[in-house]
PDB file of all heavy atoms in Angstrom:
ATOM      1  N   LEU A 154     -43.678  10.105 -36.850  1.00 96.00           N
ATOM      2  CA  LEU A 154     -42.369   9.712 -37.366  1.00 96.00           C
ATOM      3  C   LEU A 154     -41.297  10.718 -36.938  1.00 96.00           C
ATOM      4  O   LEU A 154     -41.524  11.930 -36.955  1.00 96.00           O
ATOM      5  CB  LEU A 154     -42.408   9.610 -38.890  1.00 96.00           C
ATOM      6  CG  LEU A 154     -43.447   8.645 -39.461  1.00 96.00           C
ATOM      7  CD1 LEU A 154     -43.432   8.674 -40.974  1.00 96.00           C
ATOM      8  CD2 LEU A 154     -43.207   7.235 -38.934  1.00 96.00           C
ATOM      9  N   ASP A 155     -40.136  10.205 -36.572  1.00 95.00           N
ATOM     10  CA  ASP A 155     -39.018  11.043 -36.135  1.00 95.00           C
ATOM     11  C   ASP A 155     -38.151  11.397 -37.352  1.00 95.00           C
ATOM     12  O   ASP A 155     -37.221  10.674 -37.704  1.00 95.00           O
ATOM     13  CB  ASP A 155     -38.190  10.307 -35.080  1.00 95.00           C
ATOM     14  CG  ASP A 155     -37.034  11.154 -34.563  1.00 95.00           C
ATOM     15  OD1 ASP A 155     -37.069  12.392 -34.767  1.00 95.00           O
ATOM     16  OD2 ASP A 155     -36.098  10.580 -33.978  1.00 95.00           O
ATOM     17  N   ALA A 156     -38.487  12.501 -38.003  1.00 95.00           N
ATOM     18  CA  ALA A 156     -37.760  12.931 -39.197  1.00 95.00           C
ATOM     19  C   ALA A 156     -36.687  13.941 -38.817  1.00 95.00           C
ATOM     20  O   ALA A 156     -36.897  14.784 -37.937  1.00 95.00           O
ATOM     21  CB  ALA A 156     -38.724  13.560 -40.197  1.00 95.00           C
ATOM     22  N   ARG A 157     -35.541  13.857 -39.496  1.00 95.00           N
ATOM     23  CA  ARG A 157     -34.423  14.745 -39.187  1.00 95.00           C
ATOM     24  C   ARG A 157     -33.746  15.242 -40.457  1.00 95.00           C
ATOM     25  O   ARG A 157     -33.795  14.581 -41.489  1.00 95.00           O
ATOM     26  CB  ARG A 157     -33.400  14.012 -38.314  1.00 95.00           C
ATOM     27  CG  ARG A 157     -33.991  13.467 -37.036  1.00 95.00           C
ATOM     28  CD  ARG A 157     -32.955  12.865 -36.126  1.00 95.00           C
ATOM     29  NE  ARG A 157     -33.548  12.329 -34.911  1.00 95.00           N
ATOM     30  CZ  ARG A 157     -32.860  11.897 -33.862  1.00 95.00           C
ATOM     31  NH1 ARG A 157     -31.527  11.919 -33.894  1.00 95.00           N
ATOM     32  NH2 ARG A 157     -33.476  11.423 -32.798  1.00 95.00           N
ATOM     33  N   MET A 158     -33.094  16.389 -40.336  1.00 93.00           N
ATOM     34  CA  MET A 158     -32.299  16.920 -41.445  1.00 93.00           C
ATOM     35  C   MET A 158     -30.933  16.259 -41.450  1.00 93.00           C
ATOM     36  O   MET A 158     -30.430  15.823 -40.416  1.00 93.00           O
ATOM     37  CB  MET A 158     -32.098  18.441 -41.291  1.00 93.00           C
ATOM     38  CG  MET A 158     -33.330  19.279 -41.511  1.00 93.00           C
ATOM     39  SD  MET A 158     -32.977  21.056 -41.261  1.00 93.00           S
ATOM     40  CE  MET A 158     -31.663  21.340 -42.445  1.00 93.00           C
ATOM     41  N   THR A 159     -30.336  16.200 -42.652  1.00 89.00           N
ATOM     42  CA  THR A 159     -28.950  15.764 -42.760  1.00 89.00           C
ATOM     43  C   THR A 159     -28.145  16.900 -43.373  1.00 89.00           C
ATOM     44  O   THR A 159     -28.691  17.902 -43.844  1.00 89.00           O
ATOM     45  CB  THR A 159     -28.819  14.509 -43.644  1.00 89.00           C
ATOM     46  OG1 THR A 159     -29.126  14.866 -44.997  1.00 89.00           O
ATOM     47  CG2 THR A 159     -29.757  13.417 -43.185  1.00 89.00           C
ATOM     48  N   GLY A 160     -26.819  16.719 -43.406  1.00 77.00           N
ATOM     49  CA  GLY A 160     -25.943  17.784 -43.887  1.00 77.00           C
ATOM     50  C   GLY A 160     -26.107  18.134 -45.341  1.00 77.00           C
ATOM     51  O   GLY A 160     -25.670  19.198 -45.778  1.00 77.00           O
ATOM     52  N   ARG A 161     -26.723  17.250 -46.146  1.00 68.00           N
ATOM     53  CA  ARG A 161     -26.882  17.514 -47.575  1.00 68.00           C
ATOM     54  C   ARG A 161     -28.254  18.086 -47.896  1.00 68.00           C
ATOM     55  O   ARG A 161     -28.754  17.967 -49.008  1.00 68.00           O
ATOM     56  CB  ARG A 161     -26.662  16.238 -48.388  1.00 68.00           C
ATOM     57  CG  ARG A 161     -25.277  15.661 -48.268  1.00 68.00           C
ATOM     58  CD  ARG A 161     -25.061  14.504 -49.220  1.00 68.00           C
ATOM     59  NE  ARG A 161     -25.217  14.945 -50.607  1.00 68.00           N
ATOM     60  CZ  ARG A 161     -26.225  14.594 -51.406  1.00 68.00           C
ATOM     61  NH1 ARG A 161     -27.199  13.841 -50.955  1.00 68.00           N
ATOM     62  NH2 ARG A 161     -26.265  15.014 -52.651  1.00 68.00           N
ATOM     63  N   ASN A 162     -28.892  18.716 -46.900  1.00 81.00           N
ATOM     64  CA  ASN A 162     -30.222  19.289 -47.105  1.00 81.00           C
ATOM     65  C   ASN A 162     -31.248  18.234 -47.496  1.00 81.00           C
ATOM     66  O   ASN A 162     -32.175  18.494 -48.269  1.00 81.00           O
ATOM     67  CB  ASN A 162     -30.184  20.410 -48.161  1.00 81.00           C
ATOM     68  CG  ASN A 162     -29.333  21.576 -47.727  1.00 81.00           C
ATOM     69  OD1 ASN A 162     -29.432  22.019 -46.590  1.00 81.00           O
ATOM     70  ND2 ASN A 162     -28.491  22.060 -48.616  1.00 81.00           N
ATOM     71  N   ASP A 163     -31.051  17.039 -46.962  1.00 89.00           N
ATOM     72  CA  ASP A 163     -32.016  15.969 -47.140  1.00 89.00           C
ATOM     73  C   ASP A 163     -32.723  15.745 -45.814  1.00 89.00           C
ATOM     74  O   ASP A 163     -32.278  16.220 -44.757  1.00 89.00           O
ATOM     75  CB  ASP A 163     -31.323  14.671 -47.562  1.00 89.00           C
ATOM     76  CG  ASP A 163     -30.681  14.776 -48.936  1.00 89.00           C
ATOM     77  OD1 ASP A 163     -31.171  15.583 -49.756  1.00 89.00           O
ATOM     78  OD2 ASP A 163     -29.691  14.061 -49.182  1.00 89.00           O
ATOM     79  N   ALA A 164     -33.824  15.007 -45.853  1.00 94.00           N
ATOM     80  CA  ALA A 164     -34.530  14.637 -44.628  1.00 94.00           C
ATOM     81  C   ALA A 164     -34.617  13.122 -44.570  1.00 94.00           C
ATOM     82  O   ALA A 164     -34.838  12.461 -45.591  1.00 94.00           O
ATOM     83  CB  ALA A 164     -35.916  15.261 -44.601  1.00 94.00           C
ATOM     84  N   VAL A 165     -34.423  12.582 -43.382  1.00 95.00           N
ATOM     85  CA  VAL A 165     -34.369  11.129 -43.221  1.00 95.00           C
ATOM     86  C   VAL A 165     -35.250  10.673 -42.067  1.00 95.00           C
ATOM     87  O   VAL A 165     -35.555  11.429 -41.142  1.00 95.00           O
ATOM     88  CB  VAL A 165     -32.916  10.651 -42.963  1.00 95.00           C
ATOM     89  CG1 VAL A 165     -32.009  11.039 -44.121  1.00 95.00           C
ATOM     90  CG2 VAL A 165     -32.381  11.231 -41.640  1.00 95.00           C
ATOM     91  N   VAL A 166     -35.645   9.414 -42.144  1.00 95.00           N
ATOM     92  CA  VAL A 166     -36.290   8.703 -41.035  1.00 95.00           C
ATOM     93  C   VAL A 166     -35.505   7.419 -40.847  1.00 95.00           C
ATOM     94  O   VAL A 166     -35.281   6.670 -41.811  1.00 95.00           O
ATOM     95  CB  VAL A 166     -37.775   8.385 -41.336  1.00 95.00           C
ATOM     96  CG1 VAL A 166     -38.339   7.459 -40.264  1.00 95.00           C
ATOM     97  CG2 VAL A 166     -38.602   9.665 -41.389  1.00 95.00           C
ATOM     98  N   CYS A 167     -35.044   7.190 -39.629  1.00 92.00           N
ATOM     99  CA  CYS A 167     -34.224   5.997 -39.325  1.00 92.00           C
ATOM    100  C   CYS A 167     -33.010   5.920 -40.250  1.00 92.00           C
ATOM    101  O   CYS A 167     -32.604   4.832 -40.687  1.00 92.00           O
ATOM    102  CB  CYS A 167     -35.061   4.729 -39.443  1.00 92.00           C
ATOM    103  SG  CYS A 167     -36.418   4.631 -38.251  1.00 92.00           S
ATOM    104  N   GLY A 168     -32.428   7.069 -40.579  1.00 91.00           N
ATOM    105  CA  GLY A 168     -31.227   7.116 -41.390  1.00 91.00           C
ATOM    106  C   GLY A 168     -31.443   6.921 -42.875  1.00 91.00           C
ATOM    107  O   GLY A 168     -30.472   6.906 -43.645  1.00 91.00           O
TER     108      GLY A 168
END
Side-chain angles (χ1 to χ4, degrees):
L154 303 178
D155 182 17
R157 303 185 181 189
M158 289 179 58
T159 68
R161 297 187 61 249
N162 297 315
D163 294 333
V165 300
V166 171
C167 296

